[in-house]
Amino acid sequence: GAGVSQSPSNKVTEKGKDVELRCDPISGHTALYWYRQSLGQGLEFLIYFQGNSAPDKSGLPSDRFSAERTGGSVSTLTIQRTQQEDSAVYLCASSLGSPVEHVYNEQFFGPGTRLTVL
Amino acid sequence: GNSVTQMEGPVTLSEEAFLTINCTYTATGYPSLFWYVQYPGEGLQLLLKATKADDKGSNKGFEATYRKETTSFHLEKGSVQVSDSAVYFCALRGGGSYIPTFGRGTSLIVHP
């Protein structure tokens, strides 16, 4: 595809359930980021993958959040035992470049997954 | 750590008015600076960028100049349109960290 895709576009779940959010980055992009955008807030960094390196998980808000990236491409963000405060739009972005060069490259964002926890 | 500060919104303007959205940053070294735009219901799109001091990024009538001396990257447009209504995010990359830093976003509402 031409851009970053995310699925589902909307997810409504009940408190306590687990959810999985998927991100398909642009082919060839080695860097992949997950962000959370809450109502009226900016982008909150969650996790970052670069090539085959260990991910930077420093932004994950709790151990209920985890993410993986298989084969250096598709990524899945998992939220276990969802809480109402997890309701937000979850954005994925990817970019080109080496671990050093990529810091200056444009990020391409997906349309996001809107998660609502009832 | 790095930080980006944007003016609070919403900014409400009439069509054809002049737009300025202020952005200042804190970072070590020489980060790259970006403006992203998020239209209703969509993800963020890159609007313009500048990678070194005194560079001017421009796109779709929007401009921003990388001012190292004032650590600023203010977004301007001479004549806004209703279709410019969106949320605008200032961001930096580099500056001692590979994790991008975003401002909180500024909502722009343009009335006919």
Short mmCIF file of all heavy atoms in Angstrom, two decimals, chain B residues 34-98:
data_model
loop_
_atom_site.label_atom_id
_atom_site.label_comp_id
_atom_site.label_asym_id
_atom_site.label_seq_id
_atom_site.Cartn_x
_atom_site.Cartn_y
_atom_site.Cartn_z
N PHE B 34 9.47 20.35 12.62
CA PHE B 34 8.39 19.95 11.74
C PHE B 34 7.08 20.60 12.18
O PHE B 34 6.86 20.86 13.37
CB PHE B 34 8.18 18.42 11.80
CG PHE B 34 9.39 17.60 11.45
CD1 PHE B 34 10.37 17.35 12.39
CD2 PHE B 34 9.53 17.06 10.19
CE1 PHE B 34 11.50 16.59 12.08
CE2 PHE B 34 10.64 16.29 9.86
CZ PHE B 34 11.62 16.06 10.81
N TRP B 35 6.22 20.83 11.22
CA TRP B 35 4.82 21.10 11.47
C TRP B 35 4.00 20.01 10.79
O TRP B 35 4.19 19.72 9.61
CB TRP B 35 4.38 22.46 10.93
CG TRP B 35 4.68 23.60 11.84
CD1 TRP B 35 5.71 24.48 11.75
CD2 TRP B 35 3.94 23.99 12.99
NE1 TRP B 35 5.66 25.39 12.77
CE2 TRP B 35 4.58 25.12 13.55
CE3 TRP B 35 2.78 23.51 13.62
CZ2 TRP B 35 4.11 25.76 14.70
CZ3 TRP B 35 2.31 24.13 14.75
CH2 TRP B 35 2.97 25.25 15.29
N TYR B 36 3.11 19.41 11.60
CA TYR B 36 2.17 18.42 11.09
C TYR B 36 0.75 18.99 11.19
O TYR B 36 0.46 19.80 12.09
CB TYR B 36 2.23 17.13 11.91
CG TYR B 36 3.45 16.27 11.63
CD1 TYR B 36 4.65 16.51 12.30
CD2 TYR B 36 3.40 15.23 10.72
CE1 TYR B 36 5.77 15.72 12.06
CE2 TYR B 36 4.50 14.43 10.47
CZ TYR B 36 5.69 14.69 11.14
OH TYR B 36 6.79 13.90 10.89
N VAL B 37 -0.12 18.54 10.31
CA VAL B 37 -1.51 18.96 10.34
C VAL B 37 -2.40 17.72 10.44
O VAL B 37 -2.10 16.69 9.83
CB VAL B 37 -1.88 19.81 9.10
CG1 VAL B 37 -1.63 19.06 7.80
CG2 VAL B 37 -3.33 20.28 9.17
N GLN B 38 -3.43 17.83 11.25
CA GLN B 38 -4.38 16.73 11.41
C GLN B 38 -5.78 17.25 11.10
O GLN B 38 -6.36 18.01 11.88
CB GLN B 38 -4.33 16.17 12.84
CG GLN B 38 -5.19 14.94 13.04
CD GLN B 38 -5.07 14.39 14.46
OE1 GLN B 38 -4.89 15.14 15.42
NE2 GLN B 38 -5.18 13.07 14.60
N TYR B 39 -6.30 16.82 9.96
CA TYR B 39 -7.66 17.19 9.59
C TYR B 39 -8.65 16.29 10.34
O TYR B 39 -8.29 15.18 10.76
CB TYR B 39 -7.86 17.08 8.09
CG TYR B 39 -6.97 18.01 7.31
CD1 TYR B 39 -5.84 17.55 6.64
CD2 TYR B 39 -7.25 19.37 7.26
CE1 TYR B 39 -5.01 18.41 5.94
CE2 TYR B 39 -6.42 20.25 6.58
CZ TYR B 39 -5.31 19.76 5.93
OH TYR B 39 -4.48 20.62 5.24
N PRO B 40 -9.86 16.76 10.53
CA PRO B 40 -10.84 15.99 11.31
C PRO B 40 -10.96 14.55 10.84
O PRO B 40 -11.16 14.28 9.65
CB PRO B 40 -12.14 16.77 11.09
CG PRO B 40 -11.69 18.17 10.83
CD PRO B 40 -10.42 18.05 10.07
N GLY B 41 -10.81 13.62 11.77
CA GLY B 41 -10.99 12.21 11.46
C GLY B 41 -9.82 11.56 10.75
O GLY B 41 -9.91 10.39 10.34
N GLU B 42 -8.71 12.27 10.62
CA GLU B 42 -7.57 11.71 9.89
C GLU B 42 -6.32 11.67 10.77
O GLU B 42 -6.29 12.23 11.86
CB GLU B 42 -7.28 12.56 8.65
CG GLU B 42 -8.43 12.61 7.67
CD GLU B 42 -8.08 13.39 6.42
OE1 GLU B 42 -6.88 13.71 6.21
OE2 GLU B 42 -9.01 13.69 5.63
N GLY B 43 -5.30 10.98 10.28
CA GLY B 43 -4.02 10.96 10.97
C GLY B 43 -3.23 12.22 10.66
O GLY B 43 -3.65 13.08 9.90
N LEU B 44 -2.06 12.32 11.26
CA LEU B 44 -1.22 13.49 11.04
C LEU B 44 -0.54 13.41 9.68
O LEU B 44 -0.12 12.34 9.24
CB LEU B 44 -0.13 13.57 12.12
CG LEU B 44 -0.51 14.23 13.44
CD1 LEU B 44 -1.43 13.32 14.23
CD2 LEU B 44 0.74 14.55 14.24
N GLN B 45 -0.40 14.57 9.05
CA GLN B 45 0.32 14.67 7.79
C GLN B 45 1.41 15.72 7.95
O GLN B 45 1.17 16.76 8.56
CB GLN B 45 -0.60 15.12 6.65
CG GLN B 45 -1.83 14.29 6.43
CD GLN B 45 -2.75 14.95 5.42
OE1 GLN B 45 -2.33 15.72 4.57
NE2 GLN B 45 -4.03 14.63 5.51
N LEU B 46 2.57 15.46 7.36
CA LEU B 46 3.62 16.45 7.40
C LEU B 46 3.20 17.66 6.57
O LEU B 46 2.80 17.53 5.41
CB LEU B 46 4.92 15.89 6.84
CG LEU B 46 6.09 16.86 6.81
CD1 LEU B 46 6.52 17.20 8.23
CD2 LEU B 46 7.26 16.29 6.03
N LEU B 47 3.32 18.85 7.15
CA LEU B 47 3.01 20.07 6.44
C LEU B 47 4.28 20.71 5.88
O LEU B 47 4.35 21.07 4.71
CB LEU B 47 2.28 21.05 7.36
CG LEU B 47 1.87 22.40 6.78
CD1 LEU B 47 0.93 22.21 5.61
CD2 LEU B 47 1.22 23.26 7.85
N LEU B 48 5.29 20.84 6.74
CA LEU B 48 6.57 21.39 6.30
C LEU B 48 7.63 21.06 7.34
O LEU B 48 7.31 20.67 8.46
CB LEU B 48 6.48 22.91 6.08
CG LEU B 48 5.93 23.78 7.21
CD1 LEU B 48 7.04 24.13 8.20
CD2 LEU B 48 5.30 25.05 6.67
N LYS B 49 8.88 21.24 6.93
CA LYS B 49 9.97 20.95 7.86
C LYS B 49 11.16 21.84 7.55
O LYS B 49 11.27 22.43 6.48
CB LYS B 49 10.37 19.49 7.79
CG LYS B 49 11.09 19.09 6.50
CD LYS B 49 11.53 17.62 6.56
CE LYS B 49 12.30 17.22 5.31
NZ LYS B 49 12.70 15.79 5.35
N ALA B 50 12.07 21.92 8.53
CA ALA B 50 13.33 22.63 8.36
C ALA B 50 14.39 21.88 9.16
O ALA B 50 14.13 21.44 10.28
CB ALA B 50 13.22 24.06 8.84
N THR B 51 15.54 21.70 8.58
CA THR B 51 16.55 20.85 9.20
C THR B 51 17.74 21.61 9.77
O THR B 51 18.56 21.01 10.48
CB THR B 51 17.06 19.80 8.21
OG1 THR B 51 17.60 20.47 7.08
CG2 THR B 51 15.93 18.89 7.77
N LYS B 52 17.87 22.91 9.48
CA LYS B 52 18.97 23.66 10.08
C LYS B 52 18.57 25.11 10.24
O LYS B 52 17.61 25.60 9.64
CB LYS B 52 20.23 23.54 9.24
CG LYS B 52 20.13 24.07 7.84
CD LYS B 52 21.45 23.82 7.10
CE LYS B 52 21.45 24.48 5.74
NZ LYS B 52 20.46 23.89 4.83
N ALA B 53 19.35 25.81 11.05
CA ALA B 53 19.05 27.19 11.40
C ALA B 53 18.90 28.05 10.15
O ALA B 53 19.64 27.91 9.18
CB ALA B 53 20.15 27.74 12.30
N ASP B 54 17.89 28.94 10.19
CA ASP B 54 17.56 29.89 9.12
C ASP B 54 16.89 29.24 7.92
O ASP B 54 16.50 29.96 7.00
CB ASP B 54 18.79 30.68 8.68
CG ASP B 54 19.39 31.49 9.81
OD1 ASP B 54 18.62 31.98 10.65
OD2 ASP B 54 20.62 31.60 9.86
N ASP B 55 16.72 27.92 7.94
CA ASP B 55 15.95 27.28 6.88
C ASP B 55 14.49 27.72 6.98
O ASP B 55 13.95 27.88 8.08
CB ASP B 55 15.98 25.75 7.03
CG ASP B 55 17.09 25.11 6.23
OD1 ASP B 55 17.87 25.85 5.60
OD2 ASP B 55 17.17 23.86 6.24
N LYS B 56 13.85 27.87 5.84
CA LYS B 56 12.42 28.16 5.81
C LYS B 56 11.72 26.99 5.14
O LYS B 56 12.03 26.65 3.99
CB LYS B 56 12.13 29.44 5.05
CG LYS B 56 10.63 29.75 4.94
CD LYS B 56 10.34 30.98 4.07
CE LYS B 56 10.66 32.25 4.81
NZ LYS B 56 10.24 33.46 4.05
N GLY B 57 10.79 26.38 5.86
CA GLY B 57 9.95 25.35 5.26
C GLY B 57 8.68 26.01 4.75
O GLY B 57 8.17 26.96 5.35
N SER B 58 8.17 25.50 3.62
CA SER B 58 6.95 26.07 3.09
C SER B 58 6.16 25.01 2.33
O SER B 58 6.74 24.10 1.72
CB SER B 58 7.24 27.25 2.17
OG SER B 58 8.03 26.84 1.08
N ASN B 59 4.83 25.16 2.38
CA ASN B 59 3.96 24.21 1.70
C ASN B 59 2.53 24.74 1.79
O ASN B 59 2.11 25.21 2.86
CB ASN B 59 4.04 22.83 2.35
CG ASN B 59 3.25 21.77 1.60
OD1 ASN B 59 3.01 21.89 0.40
ND2 ASN B 59 2.87 20.73 2.30
N LYS B 60 1.80 24.67 0.72
CA LYS B 60 0.38 25.06 0.67
C LYS B 60 0.14 26.46 1.22
O LYS B 60 -0.91 26.73 1.82
CB LYS B 60 -0.46 24.06 1.47
CG LYS B 60 -0.38 22.63 0.96
CD LYS B 60 -1.27 21.72 1.80
CE LYS B 60 -1.18 20.29 1.32
NZ LYS B 60 -2.02 19.37 2.12
N GLY B 61 1.09 27.35 1.04
CA GLY B 61 0.93 28.72 1.51
C GLY B 61 1.38 28.94 2.94
O GLY B 61 1.44 30.07 3.42
N PHE B 62 1.68 27.85 3.64
CA PHE B 62 2.20 27.94 5.01
C PHE B 62 3.72 28.08 4.98
O PHE B 62 4.38 27.50 4.11
CB PHE B 62 1.83 26.70 5.82
CG PHE B 62 0.36 26.57 6.13
CD1 PHE B 62 -0.49 25.94 5.24
CD2 PHE B 62 -0.15 27.08 7.31
CE1 PHE B 62 -1.84 25.81 5.53
CE2 PHE B 62 -1.49 26.94 7.61
CZ PHE B 62 -2.35 26.31 6.72
N GLU B 63 4.26 28.81 5.95
CA GLU B 63 5.71 28.96 6.07
C GLU B 63 6.11 28.91 7.53
O GLU B 63 5.32 29.30 8.41
CB GLU B 63 6.17 30.32 5.51
CG GLU B 63 6.00 30.49 4.03
CD GLU B 63 6.56 31.82 3.55
OE1 GLU B 63 6.72 32.74 4.39
OE2 GLU B 63 6.85 31.94 2.35
N ALA B 64 7.34 28.47 7.77
CA ALA B 64 7.92 28.54 9.11
C ALA B 64 9.42 28.63 8.96
O ALA B 64 10.01 27.91 8.14
CB ALA B 64 7.52 27.34 9.95
N THR B 65 10.06 29.48 9.76
CA THR B 65 11.50 29.66 9.69
C THR B 65 12.15 29.17 10.98
O THR B 65 11.71 29.52 12.08
CB THR B 65 11.86 31.14 9.47
OG1 THR B 65 11.26 31.57 8.24
CG2 THR B 65 13.37 31.32 9.37
N TYR B 66 13.18 28.37 10.85
CA TYR B 66 13.92 27.79 11.97
C TYR B 66 14.81 28.89 12.55
O TYR B 66 15.80 29.29 11.95
CB TYR B 66 14.76 26.64 11.43
CG TYR B 66 15.50 25.76 12.40
CD1 TYR B 66 15.93 24.50 11.99
CD2 TYR B 66 15.80 26.15 13.69
CE1 TYR B 66 16.62 23.66 12.83
CE2 TYR B 66 16.50 25.33 14.55
CZ TYR B 66 16.90 24.08 14.12
OH TYR B 66 17.60 23.25 14.96
N ARG B 67 14.45 29.39 13.72
CA ARG B 67 15.21 30.45 14.38
C ARG B 67 15.96 29.87 15.58
O ARG B 67 15.37 29.62 16.63
CB ARG B 67 14.26 31.56 14.85
CG ARG B 67 13.46 32.24 13.75
CD ARG B 67 14.31 33.08 12.86
NE ARG B 67 13.52 33.86 11.91
CZ ARG B 67 14.03 34.42 10.82
NH1 ARG B 67 15.33 34.26 10.53
NH2 ARG B 67 13.26 35.12 10.03
N LYS B 68 17.23 29.67 15.38
CA LYS B 68 18.05 29.08 16.45
C LYS B 68 18.18 30.05 17.61
O LYS B 68 18.16 29.66 18.78
CB LYS B 68 19.43 28.73 15.88
CG LYS B 68 20.38 28.08 16.88
CD LYS B 68 20.01 26.65 17.17
CE LYS B 68 21.05 25.99 18.05
NZ LYS B 68 20.60 24.65 18.52
N GLU B 69 18.31 31.35 17.31
CA GLU B 69 18.57 32.33 18.36
C GLU B 69 17.40 32.50 19.32
O GLU B 69 17.58 32.80 20.49
CB GLU B 69 18.97 33.68 17.74
CG GLU B 69 17.88 34.34 16.92
CD GLU B 69 17.79 33.84 15.49
OE1 GLU B 69 18.43 32.81 15.17
OE2 GLU B 69 17.08 34.49 14.69
N THR B 70 16.19 32.26 18.81
CA THR B 70 15.01 32.37 19.66
C THR B 70 14.37 30.99 19.90
O THR B 70 13.30 30.91 20.53
CB THR B 70 13.95 33.29 19.02
OG1 THR B 70 13.67 32.82 17.69
CG2 THR B 70 14.45 34.73 18.98
N THR B 71 15.02 29.95 19.45
CA THR B 71 14.51 28.56 19.54
C THR B 71 13.03 28.52 19.19
O THR B 71 12.18 28.03 19.95
CB THR B 71 14.76 27.93 20.92
OG1 THR B 71 14.10 28.67 21.94
CG2 THR B 71 16.24 27.87 21.22
N SER B 72 12.71 29.03 18.00
CA SER B 72 11.32 29.11 17.59
C SER B 72 11.13 28.59 16.18
O SER B 72 12.08 28.52 15.37
CB SER B 72 10.81 30.55 17.68
OG SER B 72 11.52 31.38 16.78
N PHE B 73 9.89 28.22 15.88
CA PHE B 73 9.53 27.71 14.56
C PHE B 73 8.06 28.05 14.35
O PHE B 73 7.22 27.17 14.21
CB PHE B 73 9.80 26.21 14.50
CG PHE B 73 9.77 25.61 13.10
CD1 PHE B 73 10.56 26.12 12.08
CD2 PHE B 73 8.99 24.50 12.84
CE1 PHE B 73 10.55 25.56 10.81
CE2 PHE B 73 8.98 23.92 11.57
CZ PHE B 73 9.75 24.45 10.56
N HIS B 74 7.74 29.33 14.28
CA HIS B 74 6.36 29.79 14.21
C HIS B 74 5.77 29.52 12.83
O HIS B 74 6.41 29.79 11.80
CB HIS B 74 6.28 31.29 14.51
CG HIS B 74 6.86 31.68 15.83
ND1 HIS B 74 6.75 30.90 16.96
CD2 HIS B 74 7.61 32.77 16.18
CE1 HIS B 74 7.36 31.50 17.96
NE2 HIS B 74 7.90 32.63 17.52
N LEU B 75 4.54 29.07 12.82
CA LEU B 75 3.84 28.77 11.56
C LEU B 75 3.03 29.99 11.13
O LEU B 75 2.31 30.58 11.95
CB LEU B 75 2.90 27.57 11.76
CG LEU B 75 2.14 27.10 10.53
CD1 LEU B 75 3.09 26.51 9.49
CD2 LEU B 75 1.07 26.08 10.92
N GLU B 76 3.11 30.35 9.85
CA GLU B 76 2.39 31.52 9.34
C GLU B 76 1.74 31.19 8.01
O GLU B 76 2.24 30.36 7.24
CB GLU B 76 3.35 32.70 9.15
CG GLU B 76 3.97 33.22 10.42
CD GLU B 76 4.86 34.40 10.18
OE1 GLU B 76 5.36 34.56 9.05
OE2 GLU B 76 5.09 35.18 11.13
N LYS B 77 0.62 31.88 7.77
CA LYS B 77 -0.03 31.83 6.46
C LYS B 77 -0.69 33.17 6.23
O LYS B 77 -1.37 33.69 7.11
CB LYS B 77 -1.05 30.71 6.35
CG LYS B 77 -1.62 30.56 4.93
CD LYS B 77 -2.54 29.37 4.78
CE LYS B 77 -2.95 29.21 3.31
NZ LYS B 77 -3.88 28.08 3.07
N GLY B 78 -0.51 33.70 5.05
CA GLY B 78 -0.99 35.05 4.77
C GLY B 78 -2.50 35.17 4.66
O GLY B 78 -3.07 36.21 4.99
N SER B 79 -3.16 34.12 4.19
CA SER B 79 -4.59 34.21 3.94
C SER B 79 -5.19 32.82 4.13
O SER B 79 -5.05 31.96 3.26
CB SER B 79 -4.85 34.72 2.53
OG SER B 79 -6.24 34.73 2.23
N VAL B 80 -5.85 32.61 5.28
CA VAL B 80 -6.34 31.26 5.57
C VAL B 80 -7.67 31.01 4.86
O VAL B 80 -8.42 31.95 4.55
CB VAL B 80 -6.50 31.03 7.08
CG1 VAL B 80 -5.14 31.02 7.76
CG2 VAL B 80 -7.44 32.06 7.72
N GLN B 81 -7.95 29.74 4.66
CA GLN B 81 -9.19 29.29 4.04
C GLN B 81 -9.95 28.39 5.02
O GLN B 81 -9.34 27.84 5.95
CB GLN B 81 -8.90 28.53 2.75
CG GLN B 81 -8.05 29.29 1.76
CD GLN B 81 -8.72 30.59 1.31
OE1 GLN B 81 -9.89 30.58 0.95
NE2 GLN B 81 -7.97 31.69 1.35
N VAL B 82 -11.23 28.24 4.77
CA VAL B 82 -12.03 27.37 5.62
C VAL B 82 -11.44 25.96 5.65
O VAL B 82 -11.42 25.29 6.70
CB VAL B 82 -13.50 27.32 5.13
CG1 VAL B 82 -14.29 26.26 5.90
CG2 VAL B 82 -14.15 28.69 5.29
N SER B 83 -10.89 25.53 4.54
CA SER B 83 -10.31 24.18 4.44
C SER B 83 -9.04 24.01 5.26
O SER B 83 -8.55 22.88 5.42
CB SER B 83 -10.00 23.85 2.97
OG SER B 83 -9.14 24.81 2.41
N ASP B 84 -8.50 25.10 5.79
CA ASP B 84 -7.32 25.00 6.66
C ASP B 84 -7.70 24.64 8.10
O ASP B 84 -6.81 24.43 8.94
CB ASP B 84 -6.55 26.33 6.68
CG ASP B 84 -5.93 26.65 5.34
OD1 ASP B 84 -5.52 25.70 4.62
OD2 ASP B 84 -5.84 27.85 5.00
N SER B 85 -8.97 24.60 8.39
CA SER B 85 -9.43 24.23 9.74
C SER B 85 -8.94 22.83 10.08
O SER B 85 -9.25 21.86 9.38
CB SER B 85 -10.95 24.29 9.81
OG SER B 85 -11.44 25.59 9.56
N ALA B 86 -8.16 22.74 11.14
CA ALA B 86 -7.50 21.48 11.51
C ALA B 86 -6.75 21.71 12.81
O ALA B 86 -6.79 22.81 13.37
CB ALA B 86 -6.53 21.05 10.41
N VAL B 87 -6.08 20.67 13.27
CA VAL B 87 -5.18 20.80 14.42
C VAL B 87 -3.75 20.76 13.91
O VAL B 87 -3.39 19.88 13.11
CB VAL B 87 -5.42 19.69 15.45
CG1 VAL B 87 -4.46 19.86 16.64
CG2 VAL B 87 -6.86 19.70 15.93
N TYR B 88 -2.93 21.68 14.36
CA TYR B 88 -1.55 21.81 13.90
C TYR B 88 -0.60 21.46 15.04
O TYR B 88 -0.73 21.97 16.16
CB TYR B 88 -1.29 23.22 13.38
CG TYR B 88 -2.07 23.51 12.12
CD1 TYR B 88 -3.42 23.89 12.19
CD2 TYR B 88 -1.49 23.38 10.86
CE1 TYR B 88 -4.15 24.12 11.04
CE2 TYR B 88 -2.22 23.61 9.70
CZ TYR B 88 -3.55 23.97 9.81
OH TYR B 88 -4.28 24.19 8.66
N PHE B 89 0.35 20.58 14.73
CA PHE B 89 1.32 20.11 15.73
C PHE B 89 2.72 20.53 15.32
O PHE B 89 3.16 20.25 14.20
CB PHE B 89 1.30 18.59 15.85
CG PHE B 89 0.04 18.03 16.45
CD1 PHE B 89 -1.04 17.70 15.64
CD2 PHE B 89 -0.05 17.83 17.82
CE1 PHE B 89 -2.20 17.17 16.19
CE2 PHE B 89 -1.20 17.30 18.38
CZ PHE B 89 -2.28 16.97 17.57
N CYS B 90 3.42 21.15 16.23
CA CYS B 90 4.83 21.43 16.07
C CYS B 90 5.62 20.26 16.68
O CYS B 90 5.22 19.72 17.72
CB CYS B 90 5.17 22.73 16.78
SG CYS B 90 6.86 23.30 16.56
N ALA B 91 6.72 19.87 16.04
CA ALA B 91 7.46 18.71 16.53
C ALA B 91 8.94 18.88 16.24
O ALA B 91 9.33 19.63 15.34
CB ALA B 91 6.94 17.43 15.86
N LEU B 92 9.75 18.19 17.00
CA LEU B 92 11.18 18.17 16.72
C LEU B 92 11.69 16.74 16.77
O LEU B 92 11.13 15.88 17.45
CB LEU B 92 11.96 19.07 17.68
CG LEU B 92 12.12 18.71 19.16
CD1 LEU B 92 13.28 17.71 19.37
CD2 LEU B 92 12.40 19.95 19.97
N ARG B 93 12.76 16.50 16.01
CA ARG B 93 13.44 15.22 16.01
C ARG B 93 14.93 15.49 16.12
O ARG B 93 15.44 16.47 15.60
CB ARG B 93 13.12 14.42 14.75
CG ARG B 93 11.64 14.18 14.54
CD ARG B 93 11.40 13.09 13.53
NE ARG B 93 11.79 11.79 14.05
CZ ARG B 93 11.78 10.68 13.32
NH1 ARG B 93 11.43 10.70 12.06
NH2 ARG B 93 12.15 9.53 13.85
N GLY B 94 15.63 14.58 16.78
CA GLY B 94 17.05 14.76 17.01
C GLY B 94 17.25 15.54 18.30
O GLY B 94 16.50 15.37 19.25
N GLY B 95 18.25 16.39 18.33
CA GLY B 95 18.47 17.18 19.53
C GLY B 95 18.81 16.33 20.73
O GLY B 95 18.36 16.60 21.85
N GLY B 96 19.58 15.26 20.50
CA GLY B 96 20.01 14.41 21.61
C GLY B 96 19.10 13.24 21.88
O GLY B 96 19.40 12.43 22.76
N SER B 97 17.98 13.12 21.16
CA SER B 97 17.07 11.99 21.39
C SER B 97 16.50 11.54 20.06
O SER B 97 16.20 12.35 19.19
CB SER B 97 15.93 12.40 22.32
OG SER B 97 14.94 11.37 22.37
N TYR B 98 16.34 10.23 19.91
CA TYR B 98 15.73 9.74 18.68
C TYR B 98 14.22 9.65 18.80
O TYR B 98 13.55 9.31 17.83
CB TYR B 98 16.32 8.39 18.29
CG TYR B 98 16.28 7.35 19.38
CD1 TYR B 98 15.10 6.72 19.73
CD2 TYR B 98 17.44 6.98 20.05
CE1 TYR B 98 15.05 5.78 20.72
CE2 TYR B 98 17.41 6.03 21.05
CZ TYR B 98 16.21 5.42 21.39
OH TYR B 98 16.17 4.49 22.37
#
